[in-house]
Amino acid sequence: MKAFYDAGELACVALDAVTGPQVFLSGFPLAGSDPEQGEQFLLDHAAEHGNCLL
């Protein structure tokens, strides 16, 4: 897992789905799940929290 910062604030977290670890966001597994379901979950989660995905 890698964390990226911009101007001292967390900007991005990159996960390696091959080597792990398994990471969950609000109970949803971010690695090993159906890509279409994962994308929709992330879009919905971001919108609920006033964020966006790039």
Side-chain angles (χ1 to χ4, degrees):
M1 183 163 60
K2 294 180 182 179
F4 297 90
Y5 295 87
D6 183 27
E9 294 186 16
L10 182 64
C12 177
V13 176
L15 308 173
D16 186 333
V18 176
T19 61
Q22 176 60 279
V23 177
F24 293 86
L25 178 61
S26 295
F28 186 86
L30 295 179
S33 60
D34 178 86
E36 215 170 282
Q37 289 178 335
E39 179 182 17
Q40 191 59 55
F41 170 79
L42 291 172
L43 289 169
D44 293 343
H45 188 274
E48 288 173 15
H49 292 87
N51 297 308
C52 66
L53 297 179
L54 300 175

